[in-house]
């Protein structure tokens, strides 16, 4: 499977590559690894890159993109870049400035997809996770429907091609869809989705509304200590998944990704290792070029009539 030639159509007419590259970096991993990984990812042919303000890697992703564009490896229009609005910037007047800061860090004029990261507004300010003296998160009162209207304006201004949501349940999506004066529907909902949490009900709902479900954690996450219970089962070691993989002479990771693609989900896959990136993509740009070279005007069904 090559992300270069497989796309899913979004409800606003744009296309999203069927496999995305994840850029979340656990705290203990040095930031230089993010730059290295983004360079490797573009180098092996991955074209859909998923990032977010809160990952604090946008600058590194931007550097990798620019260096690959300068080197003639890719053109801007070949890439599909997603970033996300953080919860402390949900007040409508904060949305565009926040996006503009992301664009500056990414060294881009526009992103392909901009998402509301979580349906939970937090108190604006410099602290990404503002808390009171008891350590309780400080919420803001802004309605995410007002945030959505600000995203619509960013799309109209040409700063983003498509807009969507992340970590929304069906009721929260419904609130946006039923919002009076809605101009653009969310094109996608990016949620945790994998073999142990296949989100079949949410997927059916999203499909019924022509909203693409984008899966994060599709490989069982990086098991980052700051968020993931270290006693939870390791997805890629699951015996049933391993049996299916063996039967198909594929790796468990590929089967876990293929499972999503085959049910109409766009999975993200993160890795810092080139061999894994190549495996997830399956065909390298060189393989694609080689196969493109087979074209020789042989038409098996000439329909002479
Ligand atoms: P994934 O579920 O993509 O899993 C990543 C792990 O899978 C890495 O540890 C990697 O191992 C391993 N892996 C990758 N390819 C292979 C392979 N071919 N064979 C074996 N192992 C493989 O992790 P993430 O949690 O990072 O999720 C993906 C992305 O989703 C994030 O990076 C981020 O962009 C997004 N995300 C979005 C969220 C949201 O709220 N919207 C929340 C969380 C994530 P190794 O360490 O060996 O490289």
């Amino acid at each position: 499977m090559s992300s270069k030639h497989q796309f899913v159509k979004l409800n606003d007419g744009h296309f999203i590559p069927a496999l995305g590259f994840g850029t979340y970096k656990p705290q203990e991993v040095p930031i230089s690894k993010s730059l290295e990984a983004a360079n490797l990812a573009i180098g092996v042919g991955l074209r859909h890159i998923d990032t977010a303000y809160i990952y604090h890697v946008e600058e590194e992703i931007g550097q990798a993109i620019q260096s690959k564009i300068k080197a003639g490896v890719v053109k801007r229009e070949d890439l599909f870049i997603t970033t996300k609005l953080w919860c402390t910037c949900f007040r409508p007047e904060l949305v565009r400035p926040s996006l503009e800061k992301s664009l500056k860090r990414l060294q881009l004029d526009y992103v392909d997809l901009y998402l509301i990261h979580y349906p939970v507004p937090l108190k604006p300010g410099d602290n990404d996770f503002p808390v009171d003296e008891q350590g309780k998160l400080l919420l803001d009162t802004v309605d995410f429907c007002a945030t959505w209207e600000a995203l619509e304006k960013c799309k109209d201004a040409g700063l983003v091609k498509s807009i969507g949501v992340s970590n929304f349940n069906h009721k929260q999506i419904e609130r946006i869809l039923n919002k009076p004066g809605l101009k653009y529907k969310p094109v996608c909902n990016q949620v945790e989705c994998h073999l142990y949490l296949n989100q079949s009900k949410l997927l059916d709902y999203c499909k019924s509304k022509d909203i693409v479900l984008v899966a994060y954690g599709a490989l069982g996450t990086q098991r980052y200590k700051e968020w993931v219970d270290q006693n939870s089962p390791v997805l890629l070691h699951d015996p049933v998944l391993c049996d299916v993989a063996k039967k198909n002479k594929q790796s468990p990771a590929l089967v876990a990704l293929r499972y999503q693609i085959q049910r109409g989900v766009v999975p993200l896959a993160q890795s810092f290792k080139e061999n894994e990136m190549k495996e997830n993509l399956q065909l390298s740009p060189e393989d694609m070029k080689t196969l493109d070279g087979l074209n020789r005007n042989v038409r098996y069904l000439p329909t002479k009539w």
Side-chain angles (χ1 to χ4, degrees):
M1 203 271 308
S2 165
S3 76
K4 215 173 159 190
H5 292 278
Q6 290 204 11
F7 295 87
V8 173
K9 192 170 183 186
L10 299 171
N11 65 34
D12 64 357
H14 292 295
F15 289 84
I16 185 168
L19 173 73
F21 176 68
T23 64
Y24 179 78
K25 177 193 79 61
Q27 274 160 15
E28 64 274 16
V29 174
I31 188 77
S32 56
K33 290 289 271 181
S34 293
L35 176 60
E36 194 188 310
N39 269 314
L40 288 172
I42 299 173
V44 305
L46 285 157
R47 296 292 175 258
H48 168 183
I49 299 179
D50 178 84
T51 192
Y53 156 77
I54 199 67
Y55 304 165
H56 297 297
V57 297
E58 285 177 322
E59 260 176 52
E60 286 66 29
I61 305 305
Q63 285 168 24
I65 293 171
Q66 287 312 315
S67 75
K68 291 295 173 190
I69 290 176
K70 276 195 196 116
V73 176
V74 276
K75 295 203 254 331
R76 169 63 185 96
E77 56 271 30
D78 297 333
L79 295 168
F80 186 100
I81 311 295
T82 302
T83 194
K84 309 183 192 94
L85 176 74
W86 186 239
C87 308
T88 50
C89 299
F90 281 13
R91 293 188 186 177
E93 68 276 15
L94 299 179
V95 172
R96 183 167 172 162
S98 181
L99 169 60
E100 283 171 341
K101 283 184 202 151
S102 283
L103 289 173
K104 199 166 171 213
R105 284 187 291 268
L106 289 163
Q107 302 183 51
L108 298 175
D109 302 329
Y110 70 90
V111 282
D112 298 272
L113 180 58
Y114 199 45
L115 307 180
I116 297 184
H117 204 146
Y118 283 92
V120 185
L122 294 176
K123 190 176 164 285
D126 291 337
N127 196 341
D128 292 338
F129 292 95
V131 287
D132 64 14
E133 297 85 54
Q134 279 79 46
K136 213 169 144 241
L137 269 178
L138 290 167
L139 302 180
D140 197 11
T141 50
V142 60
D143 182 346
F144 59 66
C145 284
T147 312
W148 184 256
E149 287 171 7
L151 257 74
E152 290 180 326
K153 289 193 181 114
C154 292
K155 178 171 157 83
D156 284 337
L159 300 176
V160 304
K161 297 269 185 212
S162 300
I163 50 178
V165 294
S166 177
N167 297 301
F168 275 46
N169 64 28
H170 86 275
K171 282 192 186 151
Q172 290 157 339
I173 296 177
E174 201 88 318
R175 280 201 58 221
I176 291 190
L177 295 180
N178 294 335
K179 188 189 80 61
L182 179 76
K183 193 162 183 193
Y184 304 116
K185 280 167 60 164
V187 296
C188 75
N189 184 23
Q190 184 184 122
V191 293
E192 177 174 343
C193 178
H194 45 74
L195 291 156
Y196 288 159
L197 184 74
N198 73 24
Q199 302 274 21
S200 59
K201 269 167 77 178
L202 184 62
L203 177 60
D204 286 347
Y205 170 78
C206 286
K207 281 185 177 173
S208 76
K209 302 291 177 189
D210 197 12
I211 292 171
V212 170
L213 197 145
V214 177
Y216 70 73
L219 298 174
T221 80
Q222 298 170 63
R223 302 182 69 82
Y224 8 85
K225 292 192 187 74
E226 60 266 39
W227 302 110
V228 177
D229 175 1
Q230 299 301 297
N231 294 317
S232 56
V234 177
L235 187 85
L236 296 182
H237 293 175
D238 182 273
V240 174
L241 169 63
C242 291
D243 276 355
V244 174
K246 209 169 157 191
K247 196 182 102 200
N248 286 280
K249 297 191 176 67
Q250 296 283 6
S251 71
L254 267 187
V255 173
L257 295 176
R258 187 70 219 173
Y259 166 75
Q260 300 295 3
I261 291 166
Q262 226 159 303
R263 63 205 283 261
V265 170
V266 170
L268 303 175
Q270 183 282 340
S271 180
F272 292 111
K273 297 177 187 141
E274 191 176 19
N275 64 319
E276 289 180 351
M277 294 176 194
K278 279 185 176 164
E279 179 178 55
N280 297 343
L281 190 60
Q282 290 193 20
L283 290 179
S284 66
E286 296 76 43
D287 289 339
M288 289 299 294
K289 220 170 152 192
T290 308
L291 295 174
D292 274 347
L294 286 180
N295 182 39
R296 63 195 62 181
N297 208 17
V298 171
R299 193 185 292 267
Y300 289 111
L301 298 168
T303 52
K304 285 189 178 134
W305 49 270

